[in-house]
Amino acid sequence: MMIFTCEEHIDMAIDEYVDETEQAPDVMFVDNSEKRCRFCEKKAVYAVGC
């Protein structure tokens, strides 16, 4: 599971990941990505997952 998120929604992404997997996620900075935030469609800054 990988959740892409903007800076504003990082907490929501971490909470969602933990709720679904019951594990702590890796949080990676995403540079020059065309991915969009799962919550608001802004450009993703982080990838939360494993």
Side-chain angles (χ1 to χ4, degrees), residues 6-45:
C6 66
E7 193 155 343
E8 180 180 345
H9 294 112
I10 186 71
D11 293 335
M12 290 174 65
I14 291 170
D15 289 344
E16 182 176 316
Y17 184 89
V18 171
D19 287 346
E20 290 191 22
T21 67
E22 297 181 0
Q23 297 179 353
D26 291 329
V27 178
M28 297 156 279
F29 181 73
V30 178
D31 193 23
N32 294 326
S33 173
E34 297 199 12
K35 301 287 186 180
R36 297 289 172 186
C37 176
R38 177 182 196 138
F39 305 99
C40 71
E41 294 300 315
K42 290 182 184 175
K43 185 176 178 182
V45 178

